[in-house]
Amino acid sequence: MEYVEIFEVGPRDGLQNEKRQIPTEEKIALVDLLSGAGFKRIEIASFVSPKWVPQMADSADVLAGITRTPGISYAALTPNMRGFEGAVVAKADEIAIFGSASEGFSKANINCTIAESLERFQPVAEAAKAAGLPMRGYISCVTDCPYDGPTDPAQVAWVAKELLAMGCYEISLGDTIGQATPDSISTMLDAVLGEGEASKFAGHYHDTSGRACDNVEASLAKGIRVFDAAVGGLGGCPYAPGAQGNVATEAVYDRVTALGYTTGLDRDILEKAAVMARQMRAGD
Ligand code: HMG
Ligand code: MG
């Protein structure tokens, strides 16, 4: 059976938008449970301004508190050098820079134009390379932007080209507000795949419109084999109005398994983690 990797982003993307400040121990318990599920990569931290995203302010404590399972890469978002330095001190196993294919979201989310963001990422990329830290890249709003409307696929391809040139080992393509359709995803992928092989890209689909699994399926047809997801379907970005949860890890598991792929994940642990994540949202 062919392998599909699910990259668990629940502890970061799933929790970052929660209004209740979730106690650090609860975050650690979720990561520790997820560490037994069979993931190769789990995103658990974000070294961004605590004024912008208060929920992620304890990222260093989360990284310090988890029980690390050998073979799992515990990942962190790093928008600038300050974030990069925080991630290194906290011993993140890999980092991610995150940009946008639309100017409106770039401004709202990281307070700069796309071109300025690429300039800011350059020293991070150089430092990551020097430190031997793998660096992933995100592109938000790959089909639709909450501020600018539909995104030109050529714009996504351009940002992807720049991030690959900086040394990102993989680019995660974000349908940030969950408005993509299998058609718009396929059109976008056709453009992006002109810049690199399918193995260089991952799908990061939010499920606002309930189409994320269909978009995963459309992406599989284009050769994509890595998908970001969050247990329990938690998530959203504070700077993307209307953005709701990431596609649920268990939903992606069920869809790709039904299609004949293997994920190497333990479905029972995913279910337990989904219950835990939902309770964290509810504040139980
Ligand atoms: P800025 O205001 O333009 O930058 O923010 P600044 O350099 O002027 O800094 C402002 C303040 O933040 C200063 O503090 C800095 O020291 C501090 P003050 O002097 O006001 O007290 N600061 C930091 N603090 C901690 N760690 C840092 C850091 N950098 C500056 N690394 C900045 C620019 C990028 C910092 C800000 O806009 C920011 O933090 N944005 C993050 C937004 C965010 O995290 N969004 C969610 C993640 S992205 C996402 O969810 C999408 C994704 O899932 C894919 C998808 O779905 O599409 C990845
Ligand atoms: Mg996201």
Side-chain angles (χ1 to χ4, degrees):
M1 275 201 289
E2 205 184 333
Y3 177 68
V4 162
E5 181 184 355
I6 302 181
F7 187 142
E8 175 60 44
V9 296
R12 193 281 302 173
D13 207 359
L15 299 183
Q16 71 181 9
N17 205 24
E18 289 304 312
K19 295 290 163 274
R20 173 181 83 106
Q21 194 64 43
I22 298 166
T24 308
E25 312 79 69
E26 289 186 28
K27 296 176 181 174
I28 291 169
L30 178 64
V31 176
D32 285 348
L33 180 56
L34 289 167
S35 288
F39 294 107
K40 292 181 176 168
R41 298 179 280 172
I42 310 178
E43 195 167 77
I44 69 167
S46 183
F47 291 89
V48 297
S49 164
K51 285 186 189 148
W52 285 65
V53 186
Q55 187 64 256
M56 292 285 108
D58 61 352
S59 284
D61 298 329
V62 173
L63 272 158
I66 58 165
T67 302
R68 292 180 189 234
T69 296
I72 298 181
S73 181
Y74 295 96
L77 294 191
T78 56
N80 52 21
M81 278 309 290
R82 169 116 180 244
F84 175 79
E85 282 149 17
V88 168
V89 170
K91 298 193 167 55
D93 295 308
E94 66 175 88
I95 59 145
I97 50 179
F98 52 103
S100 172
S102 69
E103 291 292 352
F105 184 73
S106 183
K107 194 75 191 160
N109 193 47
I110 50 175
N111 201 24
C112 60
T113 65
I114 298 171
E116 284 163 352
S117 75
L118 296 173
E119 274 172 38
R120 256 187 223 175
F121 297 153
Q122 194 63 52
V124 177
E126 282 162 21
K129 195 173 177 193
L133 268 189
M135 178 177 69
R136 199 177 194 228
Y138 279 100
I139 305 176
S140 287
C141 301
V142 294
T143 59
D144 300 86
C145 171
Y147 306 101
D148 301 349
T151 302
D152 181 356
Q155 183 82 354
V156 190
W158 167 61
V159 180
K161 184 181 177 183
E162 296 290 324
L163 294 183
L164 286 170
M166 273 183 216
C168 289
Y169 74 85
E170 182 179 276
I171 307 291
S172 177
L173 300 162
D175 174 19
T176 315
I177 54 170
Q179 295 301 315
T181 63
D183 276 352
S184 65
I185 285 288
S186 299
T187 306
M188 179 276 297
L189 286 174
D190 284 342
V192 162
L193 290 171
E195 302 300 339
E197 292 175 6
S199 61
K200 289 278 181 194
F201 297 97
H204 176 107
Y205 305 143
H206 286 256
D207 204 20
T208 318
S209 309
R211 288 189 293 267
C213 281
D214 296 338
N215 295 335
V216 165
E217 206 168 323
S219 307
L220 285 167
K222 296 285 180 189
I224 306 298
R225 293 291 181 270
V226 178
F227 297 97
D228 300 352
V231 275
L234 261 61
C237 175
Y239 299 100
Q244 293 190 5
N246 289 87
V247 64
T249 309
E250 21 343 329
V252 178
Y253 174 100
D254 290 345
R255 178 66 70 100
V256 302
T257 304
L259 291 168
Y261 295 91
T262 181
T263 63
L265 296 174
D266 182 325
R267 184 68 174 78
D268 291 339
I269 296 181
L270 294 185
E271 199 57 48
K272 283 194 191 108
V275 169
M276 187 188 271
R278 282 193 215 101
Q279 281 171 348
M280 286 165 76
R281 172 164 56 186
D284 293 356

